Amino acid sequence: MIILMVMIMKTNIKNWQEFKITDIFEIENGKCSNATSLLENGNEIMYIGAKKKDNGSRYYVSKNEKYITKGNCIVFICDGDGSVGFHTYQEDDFIGSTTLKIGRNNKLNEYNALFIITMLDCLRYKFSYGRKYKLENENVLLPCKTENNVFIPDWEYMENYMKSLEIEIIKKMSKFKKSVSNYNFDKINIESWKEFKITDIFEKIEPTKGNKTYELEDGNDLIYIAAKKTNNGAKQYTSYNENIISKGNCIVFVNIGDGSAGYSTYQSDDFIGMKGKTTCGYSSKLNKYNALFLVTILDKHRYKYCYGRSWTSSRLNNTKIQLPAKLNNKNKYEPDWEYMESYIKSLPYGDLI
């Protein structure tokens, strides 16, 4: 969604207009205050709640006609813990929580809906710290045209714009697949993979150097990476301090932490990492594509580091993972970095990483 927002905002918005949300949509309420009674033997219709992930989907429930909301609508999350200000497009009928508002317009479809949701999401910053989302008070900036000397949203422009992006993505995917045509990704054969120790994969492993969180200076120069399993490890921004910076283009291993030991992340840019709790792995062959492949495999070993068991020193260095492999000029197996990169690029939207 962030990538899409950047792409849309690069268009010429000088002639766009602000529209009240309640002028664009007919608004109705979600109808179900408690889904518990619908859970038993329920596998018929999706329940949409105040949830910012998975397009709002919580679980399947049994049908109850009085609670059903018709599809082809935009869902506004107007109340909820940490999810206020998020939006989703629901193509199919669903049962929605009473914390939701439903927006309808007979010109809405899956393409222009995605465009509008991207613009609506620019409003999210307003609804932190418990502030509720009152649709009647909010405007959204959209492409427009005139009809009877009145500005109205340009639904066709929005639809065509999103379709053009879809075509562009298909073209890029085709180009990437041609570039990786030497590989067969239809079914990965891991029987030929080899086991490598962490120290065989990374040429250099070093601890991060940052101070404790409360000792950091306020600033907006660098990301502070903590022993954290969400948001790619990012905890906050901090000020520049060359004495404690770790170079980017590395894998960060979370060595110890409350529920986060065993996690790993890829950091593309320079950062400050939590001293004593995180470690960096560097390889001259690492890039953002094969790093994502590596992190996925590394995460399969997370289960070993629960209940206070740390992922430090010799335990980290001696960790073994299976990876695609090839013979080098010394007739020894080494990780097949090109294969890992090509595989990630071959995935849908891999070129947008």
Side-chain angles (χ1 to χ4, degrees):
M1 184 64 78
I2 292 173
I3 294 171
L4 179 56
M5 191 177 295
V6 171
M7 294 173 77
I8 290 177
M9 294 309 290
K10 282 184 177 180
T11 61
N12 183 5
I13 65 172
K14 289 182 179 179
N15 296 321
W16 292 17
Q17 296 291 326
E18 283 195 335
F19 297 92
K20 283 190 68 172
I21 290 174
T22 49
D23 288 341
I24 303 172
F25 296 105
E26 295 178 8
I27 304 298
E28 61 188 60
N29 297 318
K31 303 173 183 178
C32 185
S33 59
N34 187 349
T36 306
S37 61
L38 303 175
L39 286 174
E40 189 174 352
N41 301 319
N43 194 28
E44 299 172 320
I45 192 167
M46 184 59 71
Y47 179 79
I48 305 297
K51 187 183 177 191
K52 59 186 178 183
K53 297 179 180 179
D54 304 321
N55 206 44
S57 301
R58 286 199 174 275
Y59 29 67
Y60 278 97
V61 295
S62 56
K63 279 188 175 180
N64 186 322
E65 292 297 330
K66 69 177 181 179
Y67 295 138
I68 292 177
T69 296
K70 290 293 182 182
N72 191 34
C73 62
I74 287 180
V75 171
F76 301 82
I77 301 179
C78 295
D79 194 4
D81 186 15
S83 55
V84 177
F86 280 80
H87 312 83
T88 68
Y89 171 71
Q90 300 299 328
E91 181 178 10
D92 301 318
D93 295 356
F94 63 97
I95 291 179
S97 163
T98 52
T99 56
L100 309 177
K101 298 287 186 182
I102 316 300
R104 297 192 181 284
N105 188 297
N106 59 13
K107 295 185 178 179
L108 191 72
N109 59 43
E110 61 178 319
Y111 292 102
N112 53 39
L114 186 56
F115 191 109
I116 291 173
I117 284 171
T118 304
M119 300 309 301
L120 286 168
D121 279 351
C122 295
L123 305 175
R124 279 208 310 255
Y125 72 95
K126 299 181 178 182
F127 309 111
S128 54
Y129 306 108
R131 188 167 180 261
K132 292 187 178 181
Y133 189 3
K134 296 182 178 180
L135 302 186
E136 63 273 17
N137 296 337
E138 300 300 333
N139 299 329
V140 59
L141 186 67
L142 293 175
C144 64
K145 64 181 182 180
T146 57
E147 188 175 279
N148 298 323
N149 294 321
V150 176
F151 283 114
I152 62 170
D154 193 337
W155 298 91
E156 293 79 12
Y157 173 91
M158 293 185 280
E159 177 178 350
N160 291 333
Y161 183 87
M162 298 310 296
K163 285 181 176 178
S164 72
L165 294 184
E166 186 176 60
I167 292 169
E168 189 63 29
I169 288 170
I170 291 171
K171 287 180 180 177
K172 287 183 178 181
M173 283 300 301
S174 176
K175 182 179 178 181
F176 269 110
K177 286 184 176 179
K178 285 180 182 177
S179 71
V180 297
S181 59
N182 292 331
Y183 297 104
N184 180 12
F185 296 126
D186 291 337
K187 188 173 182 181
I188 296 178
N189 179 16
I190 65 172
E191 291 180 4
S192 61
W193 291 18
K194 301 298 179 184
E195 204 169 55
F196 297 95
K197 288 170 61 174
I198 294 292
T199 49
D200 295 330
I201 302 168
F202 297 97
E203 297 150 14
K204 181 172 66 172
I205 296 176
E206 63 180 35
T208 49
K209 313 162 192 174
N211 302 322
K212 294 178 181 177
T213 305
Y214 65 83
E215 295 176 342
L216 294 171
E217 295 183 18
D218 291 336
N220 292 301
D221 302 321
L222 292 169
I223 283 287
Y224 177 61
I225 302 298
K228 191 167 179 275
K229 60 186 179 183
T230 56
N231 297 330
N232 205 45
K235 187 173 180 65
Q236 64 188 64
Y237 276 96
T238 184
S239 60
Y240 185 91
N241 184 335
E242 64 180 8
N243 297 320
I244 56 175
I245 287 174
S246 293
K247 288 293 182 183
N249 193 35
C250 69
I251 300 287
V252 172
F253 307 96
V254 179
N255 307 130
I256 190 170
D258 185 14
S260 54
Y263 279 81
S264 52
T265 67
Y266 172 68
Q267 301 299 329
S268 57
D269 302 317
D270 295 353
F271 64 97
I272 294 176
M274 182 178 281
K275 183 178 180 180
K277 292 193 174 184
T278 54
T279 304
C280 305
Y282 293 92
S283 170
S284 59
K285 296 181 178 180
L286 191 72
N287 60 43
K288 62 183 178 179
Y289 299 105
N290 54 39
L292 186 56
F293 192 107
L294 270 173
V295 166
T296 303
I297 302 299
L298 284 164
D299 279 352
K300 298 296 183 183
H301 292 259
R302 281 204 314 253
Y303 70 94
K304 299 177 182 179
Y305 307 105
C306 54
Y307 303 108
R309 190 166 186 259
S310 63
W311 198 24
T312 54
S313 56
S314 61
R315 192 175 287 156
L316 171 65
N317 294 339
N318 292 325
T319 295
K320 294 180 180 180
I321 63 173
Q322 282 197 319
L323 292 174
K326 66 178 182 180
L327 287 169
N328 60 23
N329 54 15
K330 297 179 180 179
N331 208 34
K332 290 185 177 181
Y333 281 106
E334 64 180 20
D336 192 338
W337 296 93
E338 293 80 9
Y339 176 94
M340 292 186 280
E341 177 179 348
S342 297
Y343 178 80
I344 295 299
K345 285 181 175 180
S346 76
L347 298 177
Y349 311 110
D351 61 315
L352 298 179
I353 293 172

